[in-house]
């Protein structure tokens, strides 16, 4: 997968050089290219914003630098086009299912808005030649899209073959499509077996894999009901067995 990120703060993406994604980049599993939007400005101050038409607070990102940046990264007429992903508070909620869908794409381009956002004509024009996804990571106010891109790139890249050491850990993820789709993960434990007089649940030391799987599902159901009742409400009753119903 190729990932291009356009931002006025390219240094925000230094974390993408560490940990598993950094190793995956060095192995060539994922090709991440970060671009400074100001490279497509032509004035002395490298201006990327201006006052909003119609008045109102703040500034809006000018369309010209964005148009030139997207043309440079995705030259018009390029046969293979990416999905353009624009993190925005007004976007569709970003979910694990969306992460799985993005992970199946060969090329993603992320546009990081700042200020009050990007002139709407940029997305409008881009949609003429590539699919565009406006997505949000939560109902709170950030200073720009950079942190959201870090979240999305982490959620997507960990799904790519060769990024995680143990591919199985993906299938047991919270929200992973399938059995865990509407369940959050339950508690986890490691050595020592007793810590500050708190013992690990005995079932986890039993070696009885059936009982362990049952216990983990019960715990996931309980935690989902308590922490995420809106997800619990989506659980299809037909998928619950007798043991589930006793939780
Ligand atoms: N919430 C927010 C924001 O305030 C600014 C840019 C992007 C997002 N978002 O992706 O959710």
């Amino acid at each position: 997968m190729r990932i291009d990120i356009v931002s006025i703060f390219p240094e925000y993406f230094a974390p993408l050089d560490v940990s598993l994604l950094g190793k995956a980049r060095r192995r060539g599993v994922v090709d991440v290219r970060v671009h400074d939007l100001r490279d497509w400005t032509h004035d002395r101050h490298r201006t990327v914003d201006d006052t909003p038409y119609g008045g109102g607070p703040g500034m809006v990102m000018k369309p010209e630098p964005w148009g030139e940046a997207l043309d440079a990264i995705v030259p018009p007429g390029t046969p293979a086009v990416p999905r353009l992903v624009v993190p925005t508070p007004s976007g569709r909620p970003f979910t694990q299912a969306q992460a799985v869908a993005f992970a199946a794409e060969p090329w993603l381009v992320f546009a990081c808005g700042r200020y009050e956002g990007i002139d709407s004509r940029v997305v409008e024009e881009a949609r003429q030649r590539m699919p565009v996804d406006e997505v949000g990571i939560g109902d709170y106010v950030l200073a720009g899209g950079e942190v959201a891109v870090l979240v999305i790139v982490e959620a997507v890249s960990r799904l790519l073959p060769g990024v995680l050491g143990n591919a199985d850990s993906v299938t047991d993820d919270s929200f992973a499509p399938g059995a865990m789709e509407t369940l959050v993960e339950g508690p986890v434990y490691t050595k020592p077996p007793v810590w500050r007089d708190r013992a690990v649940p005995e079932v986890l030391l039993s070696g009885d894999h059936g009982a362990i799987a049952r216990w983990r599902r019960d715990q996931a159901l309980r935690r989902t009901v308590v922490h995420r009742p809106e997800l619990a409400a989506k659980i299809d009753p037909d998928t619950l067995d007798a043991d589930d119903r006793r939780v």
Side-chain angles (χ1 to χ4, degrees):
M1 176 187 278
R2 173 179 168 179
I3 294 175
D4 287 88
I5 302 169
V6 184
S7 167
I8 58 172
F9 295 115
E11 60 275 21
Y12 242 100
F13 299 98
L16 296 183
D17 280 331
V18 300
S19 186
L20 291 174
L21 183 57
K23 289 177 186 162
R25 290 177 74 176
R26 286 184 285 280
R27 290 205 310 271
V29 170
V30 56
D31 170 12
V32 180
R33 307 178 193 189
V34 182
H35 310 271
D36 184 344
L37 179 67
R38 295 188 194 276
D39 289 349
W40 288 282
T41 60
H42 307 289
D43 63 304
R44 190 156 58 91
H45 298 293
R46 311 186 81 201
T47 307
V48 294
D49 62 321
D50 204 334
T51 54
Y53 275 123
M59 302 290 273
V60 173
M61 298 192 96
K62 294 165 59 63
E64 299 95 327
W66 279 107
E68 290 187 32
L70 292 177
D71 286 351
I73 295 165
V74 191
T78 305
V81 294
R83 296 195 77 87
L84 176 62
V85 182
V86 185
T88 169
S90 60
R92 289 195 186 89
F94 177 68
T95 63
Q96 186 66 18
Q98 184 66 73
V100 170
F102 281 165
E105 294 290 332
W107 185 12
L108 298 174
V109 174
F110 289 89
C112 299
R114 278 266 147 177
Y115 314 111
E116 299 305 311
I118 303 171
D119 184 300
S120 295
R121 291 169 291 181
V122 172
V123 163
E124 190 184 302
E125 194 262 358
R127 283 194 199 281
Q128 300 303 303
R129 62 193 191 92
M130 67 187 86
V132 179
D133 299 284
E134 296 177 273
V135 298
I137 63 166
D139 294 335
Y140 34 71
V141 180
L142 302 171
E146 284 79 7
V147 169
V149 170
L150 285 171
V151 166
I152 296 168
V153 167
E154 165 127 347
V156 171
S157 58
R158 65 184 295 280
L159 298 173
L160 299 176
V163 175
L164 286 187
N166 173 10
D168 291 344
S169 61
V170 169
T171 51
D172 298 340
D173 277 347
S174 292
F175 314 110
M180 295 297 289
E181 191 151 4
T182 59
L183 296 182
V184 297
E185 288 180 331
V188 290
Y189 302 88
T190 186
K191 302 178 187 62
V194 179
W195 173 72
R196 294 187 180 180
D197 297 329
R198 297 175 186 277
V200 170
E202 278 188 36
V203 66
L204 297 180
L205 309 178
S206 68
D208 179 341
H209 297 297
I212 291 168
R214 175 72 262 165
W215 180 87
R216 282 177 169 159
R217 180 167 170 82
D218 290 355
Q219 294 300 312
L221 279 166
R222 288 174 196 278
R223 187 172 276 189
T224 304
V225 168
V226 171
H227 291 182
R228 298 296 300 273
E230 83 282 4
L231 286 182
K234 290 181 184 174
I235 296 173
D236 178 354
D238 293 339
T239 63
L240 298 176
D241 61 28
D243 288 328
D244 291 339
R245 297 176 193 279
R246 277 196 288 273
V247 168

